[in-house]
Amino acid sequence: MKIQLADLRRAVNALFDHLERTGRTELDVTEDFYWNIPEKHLYSVYTPPPESELTMGQLSDDWNEVEKIASGQRPPTAYALVWLSSILRIIGSKLIS
C-alpha cells in the first residue's frame, strides 16, 4: 500500500470539515492513560504481545507535545505523528456522527 501525502491531507481536511459542520469546535477528552503496544508487536497480529512488554501512554503528554509543535515551541518531527495518532484515536472512538 502506498499513501500519497496529498491524499492523506485531503482526507484529514474532509474529516475536520465534517466535525466543524456538525458544530464541533472543541472536544472534551476525559480519558488520559492508555495501553501502548510496542511497535515490534503492533503488527504481529497472530502472536499476542507479552504482558510484560505492554507499556502505558498518556494522552495529556501526547497533546502537550503536539501543542508545542502547533505553537512553534518545538520543531515538527515524524514521530510526533504517533502522539497525534493517540489523540485522533480517542476522538474518533468517542464521537459518533
Side-chain angles (χ1 to χ4, degrees), residues 10-84:
R10 278 192 296 280
V12 168
N13 287 340
L15 292 167
F16 281 107
D17 289 346
H18 168 72
L19 291 177
E20 289 173 346
R21 277 193 309 276
T22 60
R24 292 182 172 99
T25 58
E26 183 176 82
L27 304 164
D28 188 25
V29 176
T30 56
E31 291 81 357
D32 197 13
F33 292 96
Y34 60 89
W35 287 111
N36 186 45
I37 301 171
E39 187 177 351
K40 67 182 179 181
H41 298 296
L42 191 58
Y43 302 103
S44 299
V45 296
Y46 300 109
T47 306
E51 283 187 38
S52 63
E53 292 190 33
L54 295 177
T55 60
M56 287 184 10
Q58 190 171 8
L59 292 169
S60 57
D61 282 346
D62 296 343
W63 180 240
N64 185 45
E65 295 304 323
V66 170
E67 278 187 310
K68 287 178 186 176
I69 293 168
S71 69
Q73 296 175 14
R74 179 187 182 113
T77 62
Y79 189 80
L81 292 168
V82 173
W83 301 323
L84 180 60

